[in-house]
Structures are given as structure tokens and as C-alpha cells.
Amino acid sequence: MEPAEGMCPNCKATWSIRVLMRREFQCPSCDHQLKQGSVVPVKSAKGKILTPCTLDRATKEVAAGRAHWDSRGVLWLNDAPENNAMYRKIVFKRDCATCLWCGNEANTVDHVIPYSDGGPYHPENLFCACETCNQKRQNEDAYTFLELLAGEGHPSPYAGYIVERYRLATAFVQRRRNAASRFERKGSAPRVKGP
């Protein structure tokens, strides 16, 4: 039997990429349909097997500093998604479940540095936000969004704290990118398995 290289996001069954490709990217256990070309094995920072992704998606994750390749062509995420619930609890406790944009009760966490800019899902890069502010901000830079709120006559009561979180998050993200680039320079290159 081939070693497990992927996990179904629907039923959590594991299988090899070869089996997935033979089944035309449908989970052998529950028939969940993955994207065509999902042939890159993915592991979390803790080594947990995750759902495989496309080479295009893997390349974007590496370029954003959220993942790195190993010598066998496995994409290793710099984060462990299995920690997300724990991180959320940490952030809600730290920020007293208060939206730092408007001061109302928070029901989501927001990335200080947006995910689209390489900001990881980690307490160093998260703070509490209400759903309204989180959706309104979208991928806006934290400083720009603070200015937008102030310009609308609703300045954040926690602007100083947001600025400090932004400074800490920027340093944290830069350290992670530096560590990932050192890993990449060691000669690891992606290898995608064939059928």
C-alpha cells in the first residue's frame, strides 16, 4: 500500500496522489471532487497531511512566504491550520473579544497584515474585529483603514494598539520570510509526481 500523501477536506480520509489522479481527483472514500491538477502533497508545519493543491497554488503560497518546498516536492506550510481554533481563543482572550476597529463586540479575527500580502494566521498577526469592520476592511492596509475610519468620523478607539500590533506583525512576518528564504537557498526544489 502506498503511503498517505493527501487528505480529503470532506471526510478526512487519506490516500496517495497516484490514487487520487487515477480517480480523476475524486476522493476514493466519499467521491468529493478536488480541483484538477491537485497533485502537490501538502503538510502543515507540524507534519499533518493536508489536502493536496495545484502547482500554481503552491507556487503562490511559497512566493507569499506562507510555505516552502522540501527536497521530495512536498509543500510544507509555515503554519499549522490545526492550531487555528487555539489561536482564535488566544486572540479573543488577549483582545477581550473587542473589535479594535470600532470598539464593539468582536465575532471574528482579522489579519493585521492581510493574508493576501503573506500575513499568516498566527496570534502575532491577528486581532479581534467585528464582522462588519472585517468585511469593510477587506485587504486594505491597517494604516489606510485607520485613516478611512477617521475620515468617516468614526476613529478607532484602539488606533495606538493597532499601530503597535502592525509593527509587531511586520517584524514577525519578515522573520518568517527570512527563515523560508534560507530554507529555499539550501537547494530544495519542487518535484511534482506523475500519474
Side-chain angles (χ1 to χ4, degrees):
M1 182 161 187
E2 296 180 75
E5 299 171 303
M7 181 182 74
C8 177
N10 188 44
C11 72
K12 308 302 183 215
T14 57
W15 20 253
S16 71
I17 301 295
R18 187 179 305 265
V19 167
L20 180 69
M21 291 174 72
R22 276 198 304 259
R23 293 201 29 104
E24 297 182 3
F25 304 97
Q26 278 189 323
C27 172
S29 298
C30 72
D31 293 330
H32 177 77
Q33 183 69 51
L34 274 73
K35 288 183 179 177
Q36 294 285 31
S38 296
V39 296
V40 176
V42 180
K43 289 189 177 183
S44 76
K46 289 186 170 183
K48 182 177 179 184
I49 295 171
L50 302 174
T51 307
C53 69
T54 63
L55 183 57
D56 182 51
R57 173 70 188 268
T59 304
K60 287 177 183 174
E61 293 299 306
V62 170
R66 292 187 293 262
H68 60 273
W69 296 103
D70 73 7
S71 60
R72 295 172 294 140
V74 175
L75 183 73
W76 285 78
L77 301 181
N78 295 336
D79 293 326
E82 58 268 31
N83 290 339
N84 287 0
M86 177 183 64
Y87 289 166
R88 185 177 161 88
K89 285 180 186 175
I90 290 169
V91 171
F92 266 76
K93 184 175 180 179
R94 182 194 68 207
D95 296 345
C96 301
T98 302
C99 176
L100 299 183
W101 296 117
C102 68
N104 292 329
E105 184 178 343
N107 53 1
T108 68
V109 290
D110 195 3
H111 287 75
V112 180
I113 297 174
Y115 184 80
S116 59
D117 293 337
Y121 197 99
H122 189 278
E124 288 292 323
N125 189 49
L126 297 171
F127 58 81
C128 287
C130 67
E131 191 171 353
T132 303
C133 289
N134 200 340
Q135 289 181 353
K136 184 176 180 180
R137 178 186 175 203
Q138 296 183 3
N139 292 333
E140 200 69 66
D141 177 80
Y143 285 119
T144 306
F145 192 63
L146 281 172
E147 290 173 354
L148 176 76
L149 291 174
E152 292 177 348
H154 306 291
S156 170
Y158 302 101
Y161 182 68
I162 291 172
V163 169
E164 181 62 16
R165 289 249 51 97
Y166 184 80
R167 188 185 65 74
L168 293 169
T170 302
F172 176 74
V173 169
Q174 190 57 51
R175 283 192 310 273
R176 290 183 75 145
R177 286 182 179 154
N178 292 344
S181 67
R182 281 194 305 272
F183 187 86
E184 286 293 314
R185 284 195 302 266
K186 288 182 180 179
S188 300
R191 284 189 320 203
V192 178
K193 296 177 181 178

